Amino acid sequence: PMLRLGKPVWKLQTEAGWSLHAADTGLPIDALNKDEARQIARSGLVPQMGDPIRIDWLAEDPPREYRGALPVWVLTYQQDGARVYIRADTGEIVTIRTRNWRIFDIFWRFHILDMTGEDKIDTWWMKLSAFLAFAMVVTGLWLLGKRLYKGILFR
């Protein structure tokens, strides 16, 4: 069993999704409330961040930085603009997003040439770049072959 606020619970997957049940009684446990989410964040991965400046319930239209299951509690901290996402049904800290992560995400989007933010690698930008890179390699090999054939490369 896993622990939720210091008490053992069973995490069960049903047709409707995940649910938590008390390990001692087997009774289902309700979704987290705001105070429980604050307690989990304080005792979990982020105790050094202090108290959140804002706590929001997110049930639809998540921001781009979060792509997990809904609903979640979003705890926003002053330090580093961090946001902690805690699943309301299981009480797990799903993800922590900081300023450094957001900067990395911007560079990742440029790396995969994804200007839409959908993490698609089959965009026309990527196909154009791949074609140009392939054309440059073929041209370089052709020029190398010409120089080797004429004997200009090694004199």
Side-chain angles (χ1 to χ4, degrees):
M2 57 186 272
L3 294 177
R4 177 173 155 181
L5 299 172
K7 297 177 184 172
V9 295
W10 293 105
K11 179 180 174 183
L12 303 175
Q13 184 176 9
T14 64
E15 293 174 1
W18 291 101
S19 64
L20 289 184
H21 296 264
D24 53 354
T25 64
L27 296 174
I29 299 175
D30 293 333
L32 289 176
N33 61 38
K34 186 186 275 190
D35 293 329
E36 290 174 330
R38 181 183 287 121
Q39 275 184 287
I40 288 174
R42 189 177 293 141
S43 65
L45 299 174
V46 289
Q48 71 278 5
M49 295 179 121
D51 285 327
I53 57 174
R54 185 174 169 178
I55 301 176
D56 296 310
W57 173 261
L58 185 62
E60 58 184 25
D61 298 327
R64 185 188 180 292
E65 69 181 19
Y66 179 72
R67 302 230 176 147
L70 294 173
V72 293
W73 285 101
V74 183
L75 289 78
T76 305
Y77 292 86
Q78 182 73 32
Q79 178 182 340
D80 203 21
R83 284 195 197 112
V84 177
Y85 293 86
I86 300 176
R87 283 188 60 165
D89 56 353
T90 63
E92 293 174 292
I93 296 177
V94 182
T95 188
I96 300 173
R97 298 298 185 225
T98 62
R99 186 177 307 118
N100 289 340
W101 183 90
R102 291 179 193 106
I103 292 169
F104 170 82
D105 188 48
I106 289 169
F107 284 111
W108 174 254
R109 287 191 332 205
F110 281 122
H111 170 71
I112 64 169
L113 297 173
D114 177 28
M115 304 309 154
T116 63
E118 298 173 6
D119 289 334
K120 292 183 179 178
I121 61 170
D122 62 343
T123 63
W124 70 271
W125 285 103
M126 183 62 91
K127 292 174 183 175
L128 177 66
S129 296
F131 173 75
L132 290 174
F134 179 72
M136 292 180 88
V137 167
V138 169
T139 303
L141 290 173
W142 178 72
L143 288 171
L144 177 66
K146 268 183 75 167
R147 291 184 69 116
L148 285 174
Y149 178 73
K150 291 184 177 182
I152 298 173
L153 193 61
F154 300 108
R155 284 191 184 195

